[in-house]
Amino acid sequence: MASVKVKFRASSVADREGRLYYQIIHNRVTRQINSGHKLLPSEWAALRAGLLRPDCKGPRHAYLVALKSRIVEDTARLERIIARLEHTGESYTAGDVVARYLTPSDTGGFFSFARSLVGQLRQIGKIRTGERYTTVLNSFGRFRRNTEVSWDEMDSDLMIEYETYLKSRGVCPNTSSYYMRGLRAIYNRAVEKKMTVQRDPFKYVYTGIGKTVKRAVPLKVIRQIRDMDLALFPAMDFARDIFMFSFYTRGMSFIDMAYLKKKDLQNGILSYRRQKTGQQLFVKWEKPMQEIVDKYDTNATPYLLPVIRDMHADARRQYKNAAHLVNDKLKKLGEQLGLDIPLTSYVARHGWASIAKDRNIPLAIISEAMGHDSEKTTRIYLASLDTSAVDKANSRILKAL
């Protein structure tokens, strides 16, 4: 990571002011930025010590106070530039830092604000929102070739151009809408903070949510997945076990499975809160669930499943890496079975719901079993159902398997 240092170059003439400059060091390469400020060696020594000369009165004293504040602002801005470059994950040079600092657009604009917002979200623990915005910004950045967008440029014409760009690359309407809604959320934050005025740049682009292609497989395919002999392929075996555990637990999402802890299983009941909605769910513990748990050694962790294994590493990164691996292996399993849809962990969730519906289990029970995220629907369901009905529904499905 690049570093920033404040440096002083004394004048070759005695008792003359020297120049203040900023030094950027990255990969042992050094670049300099002239701050445009001059001061005497004694004043520089006072600034370095955090002191202002007590005999400096009047204009000179005010100048040094202002200079001290400007140094703090300049170095903070350089550090923000470096942080944004680091965040991209791409290589950069000390010269790139200098170039961005000297570019007027870097002092403010949509990308500058958005990246700062992502950093704030991470600091307050809103990791998923920050990740969503990062995904959106990566796409928009490719469209803009990573050049800053001034607030005046953020208008409906630009969004129409962006939507056309997405269509030309085969992006489906729902994905395009996902990007647009993310940009709109960031833009609205900027309006709230008085960074710009509301120009409704998204009024002519699609921001709705259309019906997606259903991803479900029948009960006979679930049986095939369960009964595959994968003893010689541990990674695929693990992916299959995660898929089946999701199915056994009424379509539990991968992130919820990853964060399940042993303490969540008490007296034959598994309880957890959905990461997506915060809703608490209770699942009766069944024999096939225990069989999967018994296959893996998790003694060194508090987690029920072997997704987060290293207690000294970032848990979310481990979850995301595991999710990628599992879905990659499931896709290959689906290809081996000749399925006409990509097999992912989500298929287990939708498969459970479809099979439940085919077996005439009431819609209300299915919705509660899966932790429906509609508040209106959830209120209706919770008013008339108890978890025993859900557990009976799950038992019926597992017995049919």
Side-chain angles (χ1 to χ4, degrees):
M1 184 171 180
S3 61
V4 180
K5 295 182 179 180
V6 183
K7 294 286 188 175
F8 174 76
R9 181 178 291 113
S11 172
S12 58
V13 180
D15 299 323
R16 288 285 184 90
E17 294 176 326
R19 294 182 178 274
L20 190 72
Y21 65 96
Y22 303 122
Q23 187 181 74
I24 314 300
I25 306 172
H26 186 51
N27 291 335
R28 299 182 180 180
V29 176
T30 302
R31 293 290 181 270
Q32 297 177 2
I33 300 173
N34 184 4
S35 73
H37 302 297
K38 297 180 180 181
L39 68 165
L40 296 169
S42 57
E43 293 170 335
W44 166 241
L47 282 176
R48 288 186 65 187
L51 302 172
L52 292 179
R53 287 173 55 187
D55 59 332
C56 283
K57 303 297 183 182
R60 195 63 184 175
H61 185 270
Y63 168 77
L64 292 174
V65 171
L67 176 57
K68 181 180 179 181
S69 177
R70 182 59 185 271
I71 292 171
V72 172
E73 292 174 3
D74 289 347
T75 53
R77 184 175 159 221
L78 282 165
E79 288 169 354
R80 287 195 298 271
I81 292 171
I82 292 168
R84 289 199 294 270
L85 289 169
E86 288 282 341
H87 180 70
T88 65
E90 299 178 359
S91 61
Y92 67 93
T93 66
D96 292 331
V97 177
V98 173
R100 292 203 176 199
Y101 180 87
L102 297 176
T103 302
S105 62
D106 190 71
T107 60
F110 180 80
F111 280 114
S112 178
F113 171 79
R115 288 165 183 144
S116 175
L117 176 61
V118 169
Q120 293 171 12
L121 289 169
R122 287 176 173 171
Q123 287 179 355
I124 62 176
K126 294 188 175 182
I127 306 298
R128 295 187 70 185
T129 302
E131 289 178 346
R132 179 196 172 194
Y133 288 172
T134 298
T135 299
V136 169
L137 290 172
N138 287 341
S139 172
F140 192 47
R142 287 190 292 271
F143 162 67
R144 287 287 302 185
R145 297 186 179 182
N146 294 317
T147 58
E148 182 61 279
V149 180
S150 69
W151 294 113
D152 289 338
E153 290 181 276
M154 285 294 291
D155 58 18
S156 58
D157 289 340
L158 181 63
M159 292 304 105
I160 291 172
E161 289 179 27
Y162 177 45
E163 186 176 58
T164 302
Y165 162 86
L166 292 173
K167 288 179 180 177
S168 71
R169 279 154 178 74
V171 175
C172 71
N174 273 0
T175 301
S176 176
S177 174
Y178 175 86
Y179 292 147
M180 293 297 180
R181 285 182 282 117
L183 291 176
R184 184 176 62 186
I186 297 170
Y187 181 83
N188 289 339
R189 290 277 195 109
V191 172
E192 290 175 3
K193 293 181 177 293
K194 310 297 183 184
M195 299 292 294
T196 185
V197 296
Q198 183 59 266
R199 296 187 179 90
D200 296 322
F202 304 92
K203 59 184 175 182
Y204 298 124
V205 294
Y206 179 62
T207 56
I209 304 175
K211 291 184 178 180
T212 57
V213 177
K214 299 302 182 183
R215 295 182 178 181
V217 291
L219 195 61
K220 66 177 182 179
V221 173
I222 300 295
R223 288 196 190 103
Q224 285 181 299
I225 295 171
R226 180 197 64 184
D227 296 338
M228 292 179 76
D229 184 2
L230 300 171
L232 299 179
F233 309 97
M236 284 192 173
D237 190 31
F238 174 67
R240 186 264 308 277
D241 287 343
I242 290 295
F243 180 92
M244 293 306 303
F245 190 88
S246 173
F247 184 83
Y248 294 150
T249 54
R250 310 184 322 228
M252 187 183 297
S253 68
F254 187 87
I255 189 170
D256 291 330
M257 288 188 287
Y259 284 94
L260 283 177
K261 292 190 174 181
K262 295 166 187 172
K263 66 180 182 181
D264 296 331
L265 178 58
Q266 299 286 340
N267 302 318
I269 300 294
L270 181 66
S271 63
Y272 71 98
R273 287 191 180 276
R274 290 197 66 198
Q275 294 275 336
K276 183 176 180 180
T277 65
Q279 182 181 352
Q280 188 168 22
L281 298 179
F282 300 91
V283 180
K284 181 183 177 183
W285 195 246
E286 301 278 1
K287 182 180 178 181
M289 304 174 194
Q290 186 64 47
E291 289 174 348
I292 289 177
V293 170
D294 288 342
K295 280 181 66 173
Y296 299 96
D297 180 9
T298 59
N299 289 330
T301 79
Y303 296 102
L304 199 61
L305 295 169
V307 176
I308 302 171
R309 301 167 179 264
D310 188 348
M311 295 300 97
H312 301 291
D314 182 75
R316 189 165 183 84
R317 182 177 294 276
Q318 291 182 72
Y319 141 69
K320 292 182 73 174
N321 290 341
H324 177 78
L325 175 64
V326 165
N327 282 320
D328 179 66
K329 298 304 180 184
L330 286 177
K331 182 180 178 181
K332 293 178 180 177
L333 289 179
E335 292 171 351
Q336 289 181 19
L337 293 172
L339 301 183
D340 56 2
I341 62 170
L343 186 64
T344 67
S345 56
Y346 174 79
V347 174
R349 178 173 175 81
H350 192 78
W352 189 95
S354 297
I355 295 168
K357 183 180 179 182
D358 290 342
R359 293 191 166 267
N360 299 316
I361 293 172
L363 179 61
I365 293 179
I366 297 172
S367 297
E368 186 186 355
M370 301 183 73
H372 201 286
D373 60 2
S374 167
E375 292 185 5
K376 180 180 179 181
T377 304
T378 301
R379 283 197 298 270
I380 295 172
Y381 296 156
L382 293 181
S384 58
L385 295 174
D386 59 26
T387 58
S388 63
V390 174
D391 292 330
K392 288 178 182 178
N394 196 36
S395 294
R396 285 171 60 185
I397 292 173
L398 300 191
K399 287 178 181 178
L401 185 64

